[in-house]
Amino acid sequence: MNDKTAYGSIATAYYAIFSFLQVQPFYSTTAGYGFKTVYAAFDRVNFEEAWSFGKRLEFTKGTFERQPCFQAPCMVFSNGIVILTEAEFLEASSNGFAFELVGKSGKVVGKVNPQAFRDALKLKSKLGPAAAPSVSSSAEQVVAGQEGNQ
């Protein structure tokens, strides 16, 4: 695989006392535009879908991990990838991006600042020429490539 990826800065999209959602926008020469999600809470989370203003977004569920702890409840981390079109990503770099992650256990509403998307675009320009992205199977590759960067 000859994937090159430009990652924007990590941004907090949602924060509460016992949970948070962080995202990291990216451009991948194989997956295209999107952002990685990492949600942490003391309850079980199982997101299946991503939405933005009534539009369902392409969402790939990543890993689910319970942190070691000595008494319940324990912190649980869940990650995934949201794929955006180039137009959506460029719009997000100007205005930010509001979205929801939805699952059987509930939903989380987040908003990402535009600077995180601009950071990814700035680095994208340094990647050089790219092949046309193949979205269908490439999101899993981006998730796998980011598991060690949490």
Side-chain angles (χ1 to χ4, degrees):
M1 291 196 291
N2 196 11
D3 181 35
K4 295 179 182 177
T5 305
Y7 293 101
S9 55
I10 296 173
T12 300
Y14 168 81
Y15 182 81
I17 294 173
F18 297 111
S19 61
F20 65 86
L21 172 64
Q22 291 183 323
V23 302
Q24 186 173 27
F26 66 85
Y27 169 76
S28 165
T29 56
T30 57
Y33 296 90
F35 56 90
K36 176 184 181 233
T37 64
V38 178
Y39 180 73
F42 287 108
D43 55 351
R44 182 167 177 84
V45 291
N46 191 17
F47 298 122
E48 302 289 333
E49 301 174 349
W51 292 81
S52 181
F53 295 101
K55 179 184 176 195
R56 187 173 181 173
L57 304 170
E58 183 177 340
F59 178 74
T60 302
K61 187 172 21 175
T63 61
F64 174 83
E65 180 182 324
R66 186 174 303 277
Q67 292 294 329
C69 65
F70 298 104
Q71 70 182 37
C74 299
M75 183 67 79
V76 177
F77 289 85
S78 174
N79 66 31
I81 294 289
V82 175
I83 298 296
L84 301 176
T85 65
E86 182 177 17
E88 290 167 333
F89 200 90
L90 293 174
E91 176 72 19
S93 73
S94 296
N95 301 319
F97 194 77
F99 66 101
E100 299 179 332
L101 294 179
V102 181
K104 294 176 185 171
S105 58
K107 71 178 180 178
V108 173
V109 178
K111 179 156 175 47
V112 186
N113 65 55
Q115 185 61 48
F117 292 93
R118 285 195 295 263
D119 291 347
L121 289 173
K122 194 180 307 179
L123 292 174
K124 175 193 176 220
S125 66
K126 297 178 183 180
L127 291 180
S134 170
V135 173
S136 61
S137 65
S138 300
E140 291 89 1
Q141 295 170 359
V142 174
V143 171
Q146 276 292 280
E147 287 177 2
N149 291 340
Q150 290 184 23

